[in-house]
Amino acid sequence: AQKITQTQPGMFVQEKEAVTLDCTYDTSDPSYGLFWYKQPSSGEMIFLIYQGSYDQQNATEGRYSLNFQKARKSANLVISASQLGDSAMYFCAMRGRRVDSNYQLIWGAGTKLIIKP
Amino acid sequence: GAGVSQSPSNKVTEKGKDVELRCDPISGHTALYWYRQRLGQGLEFLIYFQGNSAPDKSGLPSDRFSAERTGESVSTLTIQRTQQEDSAVYLCASSAQGTVNQPQHFGDGTRLSIL
């Protein structure tokens, strides 16, 4: 069965510091995609970054980068130079080529990140 | 439209009433998903539509829940005889196609409160 694990229920980080949010996954499918989403207190779910299992390089999007270690089955999100507006819940999700016969995302439980001024 | 649109944004109703939630996906997106998110928790998959294929209803928690989609456009999620445990935010998402690398784009959700 496919599974996503986020071991950090909550994190406090000082403004302007870099932060790493952990995500490990389990799948036997060789083709899969990993996603990170941000959910501020207002509730909307915002897509941040995507990493494909066959991508040779780690994905980057502005201040977001994904530390993809395939052998360890980890896909940690790194936020550089954190800002107060980064305070939110962060979810890691995975989609396999076939997941229980559909393409639904498997979601982690989330990490609540709070940036301190 | 520019993004996924959900209505209503908030719904308060009495236990036992039926509710209907609406989702307008991004134009051209063939895949549409419904999720439930209880307070302080992660997303719980409910149902998935992909084009004209039969929907995947494996996440629906009971037969009180049903959903329909007209072609590749609007979807409605209906909850009959609502219970207090149905209180949650119901999120709709769409993606360009149901494949590995397409991100899901979410609406702002409908916050459902059952009194």
Side-chain angles (χ1 to χ4, degrees):
Chain A
Q2 304 199 344
K3 185 179 179 181
I4 290 280
T5 302
Q6 293 181 255
T7 58
Q8 306 152 311
M11 287 185 70
F12 286 90
V13 173
Q14 199 67 40
E15 187 181 10
K16 299 181 184 178
E17 290 183 351
V19 55
T20 298
L21 304 180
D22 294 342
C23 173
T24 59
Y25 59 92
D26 189 19
T27 181
S28 57
D29 197 323
S31 177
Y32 52 89
L34 295 153
F35 302 80
W36 276 93
Y37 285 83
K38 172 184 178 181
Q39 188 177 40
S41 58
S42 51
E44 70 268 33
M45 193 71 78
I46 303 166
F47 165 67
L48 295 178
I49 196 167
Y50 164 81
Q51 179 82 45
S53 59
Y54 292 125
D55 292 345
Q56 295 299 310
Q57 294 185 327
N58 287 345
T60 60
E61 288 288 346
R63 294 187 299 112
Y64 304 108
S65 62
L66 205 152
N67 183 3
F68 182 46
Q69 298 188 41
K70 195 170 183 178
R72 294 186 176 185
K73 294 189 175 179
S74 75
N76 298 340
L77 177 70
V78 180
I79 307 173
S80 63
S82 58
Q83 302 172 357
L84 296 179
D86 294 333
S87 295
M89 282 290 288
Y90 288 81
F91 291 96
C92 180
M94 174 175 66
R95 175 190 274 157
R97 183 174 55 213
R98 299 293 287 182
V99 178
D100 295 336
S101 302
N102 69 47
Y103 295 102
Q104 63 160 304
L105 289 177
I106 303 298
W107 293 82
T111 296
K112 186 175 179 65
L113 175 65
I114 296 174
I115 307 299
K116 299 183 293 184
Chain B
V4 178
S5 177
Q6 289 188 247
S7 61
S9 54
N10 285 281
K11 178 72 176 179
V12 181
T13 192
E14 294 180 347
K15 176 182 172 182
K17 300 286 189 182
D18 297 352
V19 295
E20 189 173 278
L21 312 179
R22 177 188 170 101
C23 173
D24 276 284
I26 293 172
S27 179
H29 280 191
T30 59
L32 186 146
Y33 310 78
W34 281 100
Y35 295 92
R36 178 170 68 181
Q37 187 177 31
R38 291 198 167 104
L39 187 63
Q41 298 187 17
L43 275 70
E44 177 186 4
F45 167 75
L46 296 177
I47 189 169
Y48 160 69
F49 295 90
Q50 172 59 52
N52 294 318
S53 302
D56 181 339
K57 305 178 181 180
S58 60
L60 295 178
S62 77
D63 58 8
R64 296 186 296 105
F65 288 72
S66 63
E68 293 184 349
R69 187 181 186 193
T70 306
E72 295 183 353
S73 60
V74 172
S75 175
T76 56
L77 176 68
T78 300
I79 308 173
Q80 295 178 309
R81 305 180 302 282
T82 52
Q83 303 293 315
Q84 287 187 332
E85 64 263 27
D86 299 335
S87 294
V89 175
Y90 289 81
L91 290 164
C92 176
S94 70
S95 65
Q97 52 186 333
T99 55
V100 167
N101 65 343
Q102 292 296 324
Q104 295 179 9
H105 299 272
F106 285 79
D108 290 341
T110 293
R111 187 175 300 276
L112 177 63
S113 301
I114 309 299
L115 302 178

